[in-house]
Amino acid sequence: MAYGSEYGSEKKMAEGGNDAELLKEKANKYFKEKDYENAIKYYSEALEVNPTNAVYYSNRSLAYLRTECYGYALADATKALEIDKNYIKGYYRRATSNMALGKFKAALKDYDTVVKVRPNDKDAKMKYQECNKIVKQKAFERAIASDEIKKSVVDSLDIESMTIEDDYDGPKLEDGKVTETFMKDMMDWFKDQKKLHRKCAYQILVQVKDLLSKLPSLVEITLKETEKITICGDTHGQYYDLLNIFKLNGLPSETNPYLFNGDFVDRGSFSLEVILTLFGFKLLHPDNFFLLRGNHETDNMNQMYGFEGEVKAKYTAQMFQLFSEVFQWLPLAQCINSKVLVMHGGLFSEDGVTLEDLRKVERNRQPPDSGPMCDLLWSDPQPQNGRSVSKRGVSCQFGPDVTERFLEQNKLDFIVRSHEVKTEGYEVTHSGKCITVFSAPNYCDQMGNKGAYIHLRGSDLKPEFHQFTAVPHPNVKPMAYANSLMQMGMM
């Protein structure tokens, strides 16, 4: 009897194992097709059948990495290693997750483990060395920062003495100023994959830094009854899609104001072209063209996801330092007609945050790991009430009740945020009180999503959604300038 029951349970386990393997194969198929949502779904089902398989956790970790859920990816890699501490891929996955989160020391520890187990693995050795280099660089930067008050790049620039060579026939500022003609010429110049002269780039950066530094952390504007504003979400270095937005919706002007809601750079390989265009329009229309900071307007993200590499490849390390300074002055939120609040990420890890608190945020820095500034750049909505741990590993996820309480306390109608790819380019959640807009169609050349932008009119503040699809761009792949650890760690 005992033997029969033991045999029955073994058979059931074997059948369960087979079921789990079939689900894993199904997930793998979706993963290869870049349908990461379904891949995650079927890896999760495989884990329900067999929760002690390290490979399933590791595979799901990679799918989470591809969808930028770094917190979940880190948890899965850690679980895989709890099940099997000798599972080398688990260390790779966990290291990649930590790299994505800017936790370089933790990543180095895992690469060190891999190198010790596989001393002849060239790939592992290269990753260890690259990560070690970043850890040492960060330590050096911290030492310098504590030694002296950091000087601005602007102080060491002598723009006047920079000469524009005779053979440069591209756009130039007119008497040192951005004009409409300059903007149109620059956009066409960039469209042909030509480089703006470094003197012009520096002129734009110095002027926009001065302009942004005079703005409050919370920008407040009033639309008259007859006025409208266009709100765009993430553009992520997709320059040709940005041009398409202007083609569809008109160039920015005094009568056609825009608000771009962060994440202008990284991933897409035309980030410089995007950001110089946006900064140019900010200088041309300072009171009718608005820019808010995203979580990718930060040093850690730029180091991993391409913008730092792109600026160094097209210009210099010094210019990247100046971009970093400028990004720190980007405002964090914008309030329209005292009724609509716009920010890149979302609401807060704690109740009770007021608009007055946002006005007081000291933003001229790299974002901290917690608190209102971090939340504005990083948080995400969730369908269930309450708050939960962030899928990204930073900030939190907030439910409809959190949104309701925040709006009520601050006498607001709804929030508009970005930060997440949406299939339709936008999404309305929390009973219409939390709107997401994302303006990078076919994100990273692989997600197949639409892009969208929103019109808000002063008369009723009712959001009107406009969708668009990706346009062709030159054959430069996304992440072309990204840190090699991110490129290979994602394979």
Side-chain angles (χ1 to χ4, degrees), residues 26-36 38 446:
K26 198 169 184 179
N28 286 350
K29 180 173 165 285
Y30 279 117
F31 187 92
K32 278 178 187 152
E33 292 167 359
K34 298 177 179 172
D35 183 348
Y36 303 120
N38 269 317
Q446 66 180 38

Side-chain angles (χ1 to χ4, degrees), residues 70-134:
Y70 306 125
Y72 289 175
L74 184 62
D76 270 3
T78 302
K79 186 71 180 169
L81 291 168
E82 282 170 11
I83 292 167
D84 181 1
K85 69 177 191 303
N86 298 316
Y87 184 56
I88 293 299
K89 265 191 186 172
Y91 291 102
Y92 269 120
R93 297 280 182 269
R94 191 163 70 180
T96 308
S97 306
N98 275 316
M99 288 297 292
L101 290 164
K103 297 177 179 176
F104 304 113
K105 276 188 180 172
L108 186 63
K109 199 174 168 187
D110 281 335
Y111 286 133
D112 185 44
T113 303
V114 176
V115 168
K116 279 176 180 160
V117 174
R118 293 182 177 173
N120 299 321
D121 186 329
K122 284 182 185 172
D123 182 52
K125 202 173 279 184
M126 187 280 297
K127 286 178 177 170
Y128 172 82
Q129 287 166 348
E130 180 71 20
C131 188
N132 196 29
K133 193 167 84 180
I134 293 171

Side-chain angles (χ1 to χ4, degrees), residues 102 104-105 130-151 298-304 308 312 317-318 320-322 324 328 366 483:
F104 304 113
K105 276 188 180 172
E130 180 71 20
C131 188
N132 196 29
K133 193 167 84 180
I134 293 171
V135 169
K136 283 180 176 170
Q137 183 191 331
K138 294 283 177 192
F140 177 67
E141 285 168 4
R142 278 195 302 275
I144 290 176
S146 60
D147 279 355
E148 57 175 281
I149 296 166
K150 201 176 171 191
K151 284 185 180 158
T298 57
D299 286 356
N300 274 355
M301 292 290 116
N302 295 162
Q303 185 167 32
M304 299 311 301
E308 181 178 342
K312 286 177 176 177
Q318 182 192 46
F320 174 72
Q321 280 308 118
L322 184 50
S324 173
Q328 293 190 161
Q366 293 304 306
N483 186 286

Side-chain angles (χ1 to χ4, degrees), residues 193-211:
Q193 287 185 272
K194 293 177 181 174
K195 197 168 82 170
L196 185 69
H197 195 279
R198 69 190 180 102
K199 178 171 184 171
C200 304
Y202 274 124
Q203 285 174 311
I204 289 170
L205 286 171
V206 169
Q207 289 176 35
V208 88
K209 183 188 176 191
D210 183 57
L211 178 62

Side-chain angles (χ1 to χ4, degrees), residues 400-467:
D401 57 331
V402 174
T403 303
E404 184 69 49
R405 287 195 298 273
F406 174 79
L407 295 175
E408 201 172 300
Q409 181 177 4
N410 290 284
K411 299 182 173 60
L412 296 164
D413 291 347
F414 60 92
I415 65 167
V416 177
R417 40 91 60 184
S418 300
H419 195 39
E420 288 182 289
V421 188
K422 295 298 171 188
T423 307
E424 294 300 314
Y426 72 94
E427 186 177 61
V428 181
T429 56
H430 296 185
S431 306
K433 292 178 176 173
C434 177
I435 294 168
T436 299
V437 61
F438 193 85
S439 305
N442 194 26
Y443 181 45
C444 289
D445 285 359
Q446 66 180 38
M447 298 304 285
N449 59 293
K450 289 176 184 167
Y453 49 86
I454 297 171
H455 284 164
L456 276 189
R457 297 176 192 280
S459 53
D460 60 6
L461 297 178
K462 191 179 164 193
E464 279 175 24
F465 301 99
H466 298 264
Q467 297 168 297

Side-chain angles (χ1 to χ4, degrees), residues 158-349:
D158 185 1
I159 295 175
E160 288 309 307
S161 68
M162 289 181 191
T163 53
I164 296 181
E165 298 74 15
D166 293 340
D167 61 354
Y168 175 77
D169 61 348
K172 300 171 195 166
L173 280 75
E174 296 172 31
D175 297 324
K177 289 193 169 58
V178 168
T179 62
E180 194 165 334
T181 302
F182 169 79
M183 286 306 299
K184 287 177 178 173
D185 290 347
M186 182 173 73
M187 287 190 289
D188 286 341
W189 189 251
F190 284 157
K191 193 177 177 183
D192 293 336
Q193 287 185 272
K194 293 177 181 174
K195 197 168 82 170
L196 185 69
H197 195 279
R198 69 190 180 102
K199 178 171 184 171
C200 304
Y202 274 124
Q203 285 174 311
I204 289 170
L205 286 171
V206 169
Q207 289 176 35
V208 88
K209 183 188 176 191
D210 183 57
L211 178 62
L212 293 174
S213 67
K214 292 170 181 164
L215 297 176
S217 291
L218 171 65
V219 175
E220 296 171 81
I221 65 163
T222 302
L223 290 177
K224 293 176 185 159
E225 286 256 325
T226 53
E227 293 175 333
K228 79 165 192 312
I229 191 168
T230 301
I231 304 173
C232 298
D234 304 35
T235 43
H236 274 301
Q238 296 187 198
Y239 180 67
Y240 295 84
D241 293 308
L242 174 66
L243 291 183
N244 191 37
I245 291 173
F246 293 147
K247 183 182 172 186
L248 295 169
N249 193 61
L251 286 174
S253 69
E254 307 298 308
T255 55
N256 192 26
Y258 278 84
L259 163 54
F260 279 84
N261 195 22
D263 279 16
F264 320 118
V265 301
D266 281 341
R267 296 194 177 275
S269 296
F270 301 96
S271 291
L272 253 167
E273 290 77 3
V274 167
I275 194 62
L276 287 173
T277 300
L278 296 178
F279 281 169
F281 277 123
K282 182 63 188 168
L283 292 171
L284 186 60
H285 303 295
D287 300 322
N288 294 279
F289 191 85
F290 305 99
L291 300 169
L292 297 180
R293 193 175 185 180
N295 64 301
H296 276 268
E297 279 70 56
T298 57
D299 286 356
N300 274 355
M301 292 290 116
N302 295 162
Q303 185 167 32
M304 299 311 301
Y305 292 99
F307 186 59
E308 181 178 342
E310 184 179 341
V311 179
K312 286 177 176 177
K314 293 176 181 177
Y315 293 98
T316 60
Q318 182 192 46
M319 188 180 284
F320 174 72
Q321 280 308 118
L322 184 50
F323 269 111
S324 173
E325 288 182 30
V326 177
F327 287 165
Q328 293 190 161
W329 282 114
L330 285 163
L332 302 174
Q334 186 147 331
C335 194
I336 302 171
N337 289 28
S338 303
K339 288 297 173 190
V340 180
L341 187 67
V342 185
M343 76 291 283
H344 179 72
L347 296 181
F348 307 97
S349 302

